[in-house]
Amino acid sequence: MFSSPLFLVFPFFLLACFLLYWAGARHAYLRRPEAENGDADAFDWHFFVPCRDEEAVVGTTVERLRADHPRAHVWVIDDDSDDRTGAIVAARAETDRRVHLVSRVRPHARQGKGAALNAAYDELNQFLSKDADRERVVVCVIDADGQLDPHALERVSGPAGFGDPETGGVQVSVRMRNAGDPRPLGEDRGRLRNAFARLLVRMQDMEFSVSNAGMQLLRGRTGSVGLGGNGQFTRLAALDRIAAAERRPWQRGALLEDYELGLHMILGGDRISHIADTWVSQEGLPHARRFLTQRTRWAQGNLQCVRYAPRIVSSRHYGGKGVLETLYTFLQPVAHLVTLALCAVMFALLGLTAAEDGFGAAFGGMLALWPLVLGLAVVSVLPFVLWGPVYRRDRASDHSLLSALLWGLALWLYAYHLFPASARGFVRMLRGRNGWAKTRRNAEVVTSGPVAIES
């Protein structure tokens, strides 16, 4: 059984794909040119902030957006919150004509983040004059706890962004602004638990600000940049083209409505770029359960995207490299599930071998493979470790090189969350649970009940 081609080839195939992808992402990140500024005044900016029970953060977010980007309009979509989210925004809208509240009520509310964003799209269409130049109207989606770089609009207006008329969307880098918080759980939760929470937030910041940024810059070379749910910029005209083809810009029931929007944008012929020289920040999750809930939703969203494979393969707007990169991206949960299944079969066969030939014989056979196992471990761990010094250079220069290397090692261990998240996402999909799970904010004190609120 162990000589089966599946056992021998599949793990090496996955490792080869990972190493190739990592090398491309690292090269793209380290060799990226600096983005040039453009004329932000040439565009009409509108921020969409989807909210559900966000009274803990929405006021600060609106204030920050209005202070840093005074020419922009802020559209807060209250998806029938049970708290004071709507009241907080309504009070601000009474005194600020550039703040708008889009109120949704059940049964039409709570149908997913995409539906909430479509409601704001409809309101914006009614707000704009008929002669508005929709190629120069830009929509930016910001999370309820998001804070955008004050210079972001100049960056995304430049030649790498909307200064190029063929660009329909721009994604900026994402950072965790609480990465340096020494006690993310508070003073009363103990040193050990705070140390774990601090490391978890640091890994999220490292993942997004360097590793994922490198992946996005690689996608810029393959023509397959993805849009994210935070810091997502799109031309209104590009949204119109998707709406004409799909009835709505954002797809109903999609758990990765942001990534699916990017797929539709590229399928429609618009280009998406990633600009790593500007950013949007959010709070990293210090709670393991909330983090796993969030990543389960993302894994399930990736599994939903498999249905786009035939359209991507046959599209004239995707080149060969773009097809391979996109399929590799949203088939990752499938690869994780297959790997888990193979591991289960392998351990079962090891148990049978030990039962038939004795534990000593089985252990001796495994021990004979130690050079291969050691070599595979090195090439599997080293790519993660090498992100550590890069992250230290760009995001944590006040820390030592040793800390950076240890962070890189921790990033390797952190990556294993993908396996339980993929498995849980697959089970949720089989059970037909496709609701928009709103992960609770750090400021929300939860002593009992769910870590996420589902529709």
Side-chain angles (χ1 to χ4, degrees):
M1 288 291 292
F2 285 106
S3 62
S4 168
L6 183 63
F7 280 105
L8 294 175
V9 174
F10 186 74
F12 289 97
F13 173 73
L14 286 183
L15 180 59
C17 290
F18 163 71
L19 292 174
L20 182 64
Y21 200 86
W22 167 81
R26 181 178 174 84
H27 182 269
Y29 184 86
L30 295 177
R31 297 290 185 269
R32 69 189 188 278
E34 184 177 356
E36 299 178 23
N37 285 346
D39 182 11
D41 293 337
F43 299 92
D44 186 15
W45 305 93
H46 295 265
F47 294 112
F48 285 4
V49 185
C51 292
R52 180 177 167 189
D53 302 319
E54 299 284 10
E55 69 174 359
V57 294
V58 68
T60 300
T61 299
V62 173
E63 292 288 339
R64 178 73 177 266
L65 288 173
R66 289 295 296 123
D68 291 344
H69 312 283
R71 292 187 60 255
H73 289 261
V74 179
W75 299 78
V76 178
I77 311 106
D78 177 25
D79 206 34
D80 203 359
S81 297
D82 291 325
D83 63 6
R84 296 183 58 254
T85 296
I88 292 171
V89 178
R92 178 61 194 261
E94 289 181 358
T95 59
D96 189 340
R97 65 184 182 86
R98 290 182 180 266
V99 175
H100 313 267
L101 175 64
V102 181
S103 295
R104 292 168 54 76
V105 295
R106 281 168 279 194
H108 302 293
R110 302 197 176 194
Q111 296 180 1
K113 187 177 179 181
L117 291 170
N118 285 330
Y121 170 78
D122 291 339
E123 292 279 349
L124 178 58
N125 285 335
Q126 296 180 24
F127 174 80
L128 294 174
S129 64
K130 293 183 178 180
D131 59 348
D133 184 354
R134 299 173 76 87
E135 293 287 349
R136 293 193 171 275
V137 177
V138 178
V139 170
C140 176
V141 177
I142 297 289
D143 277 356
D145 67 336
Q147 294 183 7
L148 189 66
D149 174 12
H151 305 291
L153 303 188
E154 286 76 16
R155 290 289 193 184
V156 301
S157 301
F162 296 113
D164 181 348
E166 295 185 0
T167 297
V170 175
Q171 178 62 45
V172 302
S173 287
V174 178
R175 298 177 179 178
M176 305 299 144
R177 63 174 172 270
N178 56 335
D181 188 346
R183 289 188 172 271
L185 296 180
E187 296 289 340
D188 59 333
R189 301 303 291 273
R191 295 180 61 183
L192 187 59
R193 295 182 69 176
N194 268 293
F196 174 79
R198 186 166 63 248
L199 181 62
L200 181 59
V201 173
R202 180 70 68 179
M203 290 302 98
Q204 293 168 67
D205 189 48
M206 191 172 178
E207 174 191 18
F208 276 93
S209 61
V210 292
S211 179
N212 284 4
M215 290 166 52
Q216 287 278 57
L217 292 166
L218 173 63
R219 291 170 178 171
R221 300 182 179 187
T222 61
S224 54
V225 173
L227 291 175
N230 200 11
Q232 166 200 130
F233 291 81
T234 52
R235 286 188 198 271
L236 185 58
L239 297 179
D240 293 339
R241 288 188 280 272
I242 297 173
E246 307 290 337
R247 298 201 309 172
R248 290 294 192 190
W250 288 274
Q251 299 306 295
R252 181 176 179 178
L255 293 176
L256 286 185
E257 82 296 324
D258 42 17
Y259 187 70
E260 290 195 23
L261 179 73
L263 294 178
H264 284 291
M265 193 168 289
I266 298 174
L267 287 169
D270 284 298
R271 189 172 69 86
I272 304 174
S273 65
H274 179 82
I275 298 180
D277 295 322
T278 188
W279 47 267
V280 63
S281 72
Q282 62 192 50
E283 284 190 314
L285 294 174
H287 304 274
R289 288 183 60 203
R290 298 186 194 186
F291 172 79
L292 187 58
T293 297
Q294 178 195 71
R295 297 312 171 96
T296 297
R297 182 171 75 251
W298 294 0
Q300 186 179 357
N302 267 351
L303 290 170
Q304 289 180 338
C305 289
V306 173
R307 71 183 186 273
Y308 289 101
R311 294 178 61 181
I312 291 170
V313 171
S314 61
S315 173
R316 63 186 178 88
H317 299 297
Y318 274 90
K321 293 180 181 179
V323 169
L324 290 175
E325 191 285 323
T326 304
L327 295 181
Y328 176 83
T329 295
F330 62 62
L331 286 174
Q332 284 296 294
V334 177
H336 298 144
L337 291 171
V338 173
T339 300
L340 286 174
L342 289 177
C343 287
V345 172
M346 182 186 71
F347 284 116
L349 291 175
L350 282 173
L352 290 174
T353 301
E356 293 178 358
D357 303 334
F359 179 78
F363 181 75
M366 294 175 58
L367 194 61
L369 296 175
W370 74 265
L372 176 62
V373 174
L374 180 61
L376 290 175
V378 170
V379 298
S380 298
V381 176
L382 191 59
F384 292 97
V385 173
L386 291 178
W387 278 122
V390 177
Y391 175 75
R392 172 178 175 261
R393 183 196 69 180
D394 293 348
R395 295 281 293 131
S397 58
D398 57 330
H399 287 75
S400 68
L401 178 59
L402 178 60
S403 294
L405 294 174
L406 291 175
W407 286 338
L409 184 62
L411 186 66
W412 165 64
L413 296 172
Y414 166 86
Y416 280 93
H417 79 267
L418 296 170
F419 291 94
S422 297
R424 295 179 78 224
F426 182 67
V427 171
R428 278 178 55 88
M429 188 171 68
L430 290 180
R431 296 176 62 185
R433 296 178 61 186
N434 297 308
W436 172 24
K438 180 259 172 184
T439 308
R440 294 185 185 272
R441 300 296 177 195
N442 298 338
E444 298 180 58
V445 179
V446 181
T447 57
S448 63
V451 297
I453 307 171
E454 294 192 53
S455 47

